[in-house]
């Protein structure tokens, strides 16, 4: 019984996080985070 409730709560948290990531208002921050590995220390992108 308890294991089922924990599973249900974790499923709801996972789906809620997934929906939050796909909200349009989060796109600029997520795009900036995706470009971080490609940028130099001074903020310029490498080719």
């Amino acid at each position: 019984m308890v294991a089922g409730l924990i599973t249900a709560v974790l499923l709801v948290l996972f789906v809620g996080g997934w929906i939050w990531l796909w909200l349009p208002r989060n796109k600029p921050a997520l795009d900036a985070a995706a470009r971080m590995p490609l940028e130099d220390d001074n903020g310029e992108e490498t080719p």
Side-chain angles (χ1 to χ4, degrees):
M1 176 75 177
V2 174
L5 292 175
I6 292 172
T7 302
V9 168
L10 290 175
L11 178 64
V12 168
L13 288 173
F14 176 78
V15 171
W18 187 81
I19 290 171
W20 178 80
L21 284 172
W22 283 92
L23 290 175
R25 69 176 180 216
N26 295 325
K27 185 168 177 40
L30 293 173
D31 286 343
R35 286 189 306 271
M36 281 173 63
L38 303 175
E39 294 178 353
D40 290 335
D41 289 336
N42 59 4
E44 296 177 8
E45 288 191 25
T46 57

